[in-house]
Amino acid sequence: MEYVNGSKEASNLIQTPVEVLFQTFNETTRLLVNELECTYLEALAETGENIFQDDIRQENISEMTKKRLEKYYRDLVKMNYSAEDIRKAFQLACLKGMRENVQPNHQMTPDSIGIFLSYLINKFIGTKKAFSLLDPAIGTGNLVTTIMNYLPHHAIDAYGVDVDDVLIRLAYVSANLQEHPLQLDCQDSLEPLFIDPVDVVVCDLPVGYYPNDIRAAEYELKADSGHSYAHHLFIEKSCLNTVDGGYLFFIIPNGLFESPEAMKLHTYIKKHMHIQALLQLPETMFKNKQVAKSILVLQKHGEGVKPPKEVLLVNLPSLSNKLQMETIMAKIDIWFQENKVH
Ligand code: SAM
């Protein structure tokens, strides 16, 4: 697991409605794991769909399990849950499932990052109250739905793509339960996308080699020999799928600009986008220094779009340290006043 804070922060989030919801997700998931002989995450998607459809969709389960599920679901309806309660409880259940079946690069983005990104998006897009948003590696949808919950006064036309069918089902169920109209596609994002260019891209980049050399050959950022870096191709693909002047928010590995291919990436970024900000996430958030990450904010070139006078460079404190975060946000506010990025 790259992020260490997921479980720690998530357990801090437990409050009564979240706890009740989590227990229902967890216990009904366990029942379905036994009946369907599937993984925890697959069963979580099944139970989430049952709750959303208000129906038990699995045909080959015992009467006893059916009755027990019905009882859990009935009890749930009696309480009113906010979208955030649902997202937090679902996040806890996903973390539990991911711990049981660890897959590198499939890590859910912790909500502390999503909350901070929603703040940054709001600052960068300025007065715009409606915008389109794409996450080309949406995973469980935790990052995107956190952003949607924390920007309740914005009309967000949101799209998500992921190659992993279980994760995209989780994103679908989670978005449905939170009542977010999210359009999802299960496919390789580096293949042609049938989504119009968006105003904002967010992406916790999958880091590593992209195995499809034939597809990679279509990209400027392809490697000269061997497999290309998926995270570089994702940056190029995201740029292609952004409107002129649109913003891109990437969660990147700290060593992004130090790899052997970094020069090419730098040249590509300079040619098509302006670097607006680089904010280093606290190392305590990660298992070790090698997997620590930063937030990179880019703006695609366009008519009248100027680079900032200076790039915003910040070392973030622990995102849960209110006092230090307020100081940093005051610094960011000053940067916005001086750089007039809109
Ligand atoms: N933000 C996500 C969330 O909150 O759950 C987590 C993103 S995770 C760090 C990276 C995601 O990239 C994984 O879900 C993985 O399946 C996806 N991915 C990797 N390669 C991909 C590709 N070629 N096309 C689409 N998705 C891909």
Side-chain angles (χ1 to χ4, degrees):
M1 290 235 166
E2 288 167 3
Y3 294 115
V4 292
N5 68 332
S7 54
K8 203 166 75 194
E9 298 215 347
S11 64
N12 288 341
L13 297 172
I14 297 180
Q15 292 142 17
T16 313
V18 176
E19 197 169 30
V20 174
L21 259 173
F22 167 68
Q23 274 164 3
T24 305
F25 285 142
N26 185 43
E27 278 157 33
T28 55
T29 296
R30 286 267 172 248
L31 286 173
L32 288 169
V33 164
N34 290 337
E35 283 279 349
L36 305 174
E37 292 179 6
C38 61
T39 65
Y40 186 98
L41 290 179
E42 285 164 338
L44 176 62
E46 294 283 329
T47 196
E49 182 68 354
N50 286 349
I51 295 168
F52 178 67
Q53 299 287 352
D54 193 16
D55 185 24
I56 293 178
R57 319 279 292 169
Q58 301 72 34
E59 285 168 4
N60 300 325
I61 60 173
S62 68
E63 272 309 304
M64 168 79 107
T65 302
K66 209 170 162 190
K67 287 216 163 68
R68 290 175 73 186
L69 288 174
E70 276 166 358
K71 163 97 178 67
Y72 277 115
Y73 298 151
R74 248 197 329 270
D75 290 347
L76 202 59
V77 186
K78 291 180 197 146
M79 286 181 81
N80 253 338
Y81 299 98
S82 68
E84 258 305 89
D85 289 338
I86 296 167
R87 188 197 57 73
K88 285 175 186 170
F90 205 78
Q91 167 182 261
L92 286 173
C94 286
L95 280 170
K96 199 173 163 93
M98 286 177 172
R99 246 179 266 130
E100 283 182 17
N101 194 354
V102 179
Q103 280 189 301
N105 247 333
H106 285 193
Q107 287 268 294
M108 188 168 35
T109 311
D111 49 12
S112 51
I113 296 183
I115 295 166
F116 186 65
L117 268 190
S118 64
Y119 158 81
L120 284 180
I121 292 172
N122 188 33
K123 288 296 248 179
F124 275 99
I125 62 170
T127 52
K128 208 171 182 157
K129 287 290 172 224
F131 63 92
S132 52
L133 176 139
L134 165 68
D135 183 344
I138 194 162
T140 62
N142 199 47
L143 174 61
V144 168
T145 57
T146 304
I147 291 169
M148 293 176 98
N149 289 343
Y150 277 83
L151 292 176
H153 304 301
H154 289 75
I156 306 177
D157 186 17
Y159 301 83
V161 183
D162 204 284
V163 75
D164 186 302
D165 62 325
V166 175
L167 296 182
I168 205 111
R169 267 168 58 210
L170 290 168
Y172 167 78
V173 165
S174 173
N176 277 343
L177 291 173
Q178 295 178 63
E179 298 183 1
H180 287 312
L182 188 55
Q183 196 169 307
L184 294 164
D185 285 317
C186 184
Q187 68 156 89
D188 177 348
S189 286
L190 300 173
E191 303 271 341
L193 286 181
F194 300 98
I195 299 169
D196 287 336
V198 292
D199 301 309
V200 173
V201 168
V202 292
C203 188
D204 185 352
L205 293 173
V207 179
Y209 289 110
Y210 180 57
N212 185 343
D213 293 337
I214 298 170
R215 181 60 67 189
E218 295 171 7
Y219 288 83
E220 280 185 46
L221 290 176
K222 65 178 179 289
D224 295 330
S225 64
H227 290 326
S228 305
Y229 283 137
H231 41 298
H232 289 201
L233 304 184
F234 259 77
I235 291 176
E236 180 172 342
K237 180 68 176 202
S238 300
C239 177
L240 294 170
N241 241 85
T242 304
V243 298
D244 288 352
Y247 287 98
L248 304 97
F249 300 80
F250 293 113
I251 297 156
I252 59 162
N254 280 353
L256 184 73
F257 293 110
E258 286 155 23
S259 79
E261 293 285 321
M263 200 55 201
K264 236 157 65 183
L265 175 66
H266 211 272
T267 309
Y268 180 87
I269 290 179
K270 248 179 106 177
K271 188 168 143 199
H272 299 280
M273 295 170 279
H274 297 301
I275 297 184
Q276 296 282 346
L278 185 61
L279 307 105
Q280 198 168 328
L281 291 161
E283 275 173 17
T284 49
M285 197 176 230
F286 302 92
K287 205 175 112 196
N288 59 54
K289 215 174 151 173
Q290 280 69 42
V291 293
K293 296 184 183 189
S294 297
I295 299 172
L296 174 68
V297 185
L298 304 168
Q299 185 178 24
K300 189 164 171 178
H301 291 171
E303 220 187 298
V305 174
K306 294 195 189 89
K309 282 185 216 143
E310 56 176 334
V311 174
L312 172 68
L313 294 174
V314 173
N315 275 338
L316 289 166
S318 163
L319 302 185
S320 55
N321 185 328
K322 259 191 148 181
L323 207 67
Q324 288 184 9
M325 278 307 286
E326 275 168 18
T327 311
I328 288 290
M329 280 156 146
K331 183 178 161 186
I332 296 176
D333 279 345
I334 294 171
W335 181 85
F336 272 94
Q337 284 158 23
E338 290 175 352
N339 286 273
K340 296 191 191 82
V341 290
H342 306 126

